[in-house]
Amino acid sequence: EAGVAQSPRYKIIEKRQSVAFWCNPISGHATLYWYQQILGQGPKLLIQFQNNGVVDDSQLPKDRFSAERLKGVDSTLKIQPAKLEDSAVYLCASSLNRAGFSGNTIYFGEGSWLTVV
Amino acid sequence: AQKVTQAQTEISVVEKEDVTLDCVYETRDTTYYLFWYKQPPSGELVFLIRRNSFDEQNEISGRYSWNFQKSTSSFNFTITASQVVDSAVYFCALVRGSGGGADGLTFGKGTHLIIQP
C-alpha cells in the first residue's frame, strides 16, 4: 500500500516569496492533516480536513497560509508571503477516518523541508 | 486544553542497554488516545503504538514495551537491549475522543535517543 506522498521534498525561497506544497494521502483516507514542525520541536497542527471540508484551522496563520482539498483527495498548502520564521518541515498526514473515532491511526509523509532566507 | 510533556530532551546510552522514554499528558477528556511515533533523520514519522484511555494493559512488541498508568497520566516507552538502529527522535502524542470537534494530534517536544555502538 502506498504511503502519504508529498512534494517537493526540499525548497529554499527568499522571504516574501510564495511556495506551495502538495500532498496525496493514502487511498481511501477521508481525513487529511497538515502539520508544521520547527527544528527541535514537536509537530503542530495547522489544518485538518474531513473529505473536502475544514474541521479545524484555528492554528493556521490565515494572513499568509492557505490550504485546500477541493476534491477530497489531494491537498495543497500555500504560503504567501513567506517569512523567516516559516522555515520548518511541513508534514502531511492522513487517516481512514477522524483520529478521535476509535483512535484511527494517523500516517505521515516524509515532509517538505522549507528554508526561507 | 491538552498537553504532552516529554521532559527528557536527549538520552544517550550504549548499545544493548535498556532505556525508558517518559511521557506525561494532560487532558480533561475521559475518552482519549495516546500514540508513540519514531522520527528517523529522514523526517518521516513512523507509527509505533496507539492506546485508548480505557485500556491500561501494558503492551510488549518485540524489544518495545509500553506502560500506561492513568493514575499518574503517564505513557512510558521502554526499549530493551537497544540497538544503533533505534537512534531517532521519539514523540508521544495525544488525541481526544471525537465529540465532533477537532481531533488532530497534540505532540510532545520529543526525546532524541542516541544509541552508541
Side-chain angles (χ1 to χ4, degrees):
Chain A
E1 180 181 87
V4 177
Q6 290 188 245
S7 67
R9 283 297 317 275
Y10 305 94
K11 192 76 176 178
I12 300 175
I13 61 173
E14 295 183 350
K15 58 184 179 183
R16 291 186 288 273
Q17 286 188 327
S18 63
V19 62
F21 301 113
W22 172 83
C23 172
N24 181 239
I26 294 173
S27 177
H29 280 197
T31 311
L32 186 147
Y33 309 83
W34 282 101
Y35 284 83
Q36 179 193 58
Q37 186 178 17
I38 293 173
L39 186 64
Q41 298 183 20
K44 182 186 81 171
L45 179 68
L46 292 176
I47 189 167
Q48 176 184 350
F49 291 96
Q50 181 69 12
N51 296 309
N52 60 352
V54 175
V55 175
D56 179 25
D57 62 359
S58 59
Q59 298 190 87
L60 187 73
K62 299 180 187 63
D63 58 333
R64 298 182 301 104
F65 286 64
S66 64
E68 60 183 14
R69 193 184 185 200
L70 292 175
K71 296 183 179 180
V73 180
D74 294 7
S75 177
T76 303
L77 176 71
K78 296 180 181 177
I79 307 174
Q80 181 179 16
K83 292 185 175 181
L84 296 177
E85 59 261 37
D86 297 332
S87 294
V89 180
Y90 291 88
L91 293 161
C92 181
S94 71
S95 60
L96 192 61
N97 207 328
R98 296 175 61 167
F101 291 150
S102 300
N104 280 284
T105 298
I106 300 177
Y107 297 95
F108 285 81
E110 290 186 310
S112 293
W113 301 61
L114 174 65
T115 301
V116 182
V117 298
Chain B
Q2 300 177 107
K3 185 178 179 181
V4 176
T5 301
Q6 296 180 254
Q8 304 150 310
T9 304
E10 184 175 289
I11 300 175
S12 181
V13 300
V14 177
E15 197 172 20
K16 297 184 183 177
E17 287 186 8
D18 300 345
V19 59
T20 295
L21 282 59
D22 298 333
C23 172
V24 174
Y25 62 91
E26 297 175 29
T27 180
R28 294 183 178 180
D29 297 294
T30 54
T31 302
Y32 53 89
Y33 302 89
L34 295 161
F35 296 77
W36 275 95
Y37 284 86
K38 174 182 180 180
Q39 188 174 45
S42 62
E44 181 178 359
L45 282 160
V46 178
F47 167 77
L48 295 178
I49 190 172
R50 177 186 68 241
R51 172 68 67 210
N52 75 56
S53 54
F54 299 109
D55 182 3
E56 288 193 70
Q57 281 191 330
N58 293 333
E59 181 156 342
I60 298 174
S61 177
R63 297 183 297 107
Y64 295 171
S65 62
W66 291 269
N67 180 260
F68 175 32
Q69 292 194 338
K70 287 180 74 170
S71 61
T72 56
S73 297
S74 64
F75 186 42
N76 296 336
F77 172 32
T78 297
I79 301 175
T80 303
S82 60
Q83 299 177 2
V84 172
V85 293
D86 296 327
S87 297
V89 180
Y90 290 85
F91 290 96
C92 181
L94 167 70
V95 65
R96 66 197 306 179
S98 185
D103 49 10
L105 290 168
T106 297
F107 283 87
K109 291 187 176 181
T111 297
H112 184 198
L113 178 62
I114 301 168
I115 310 297
Q116 299 179 25

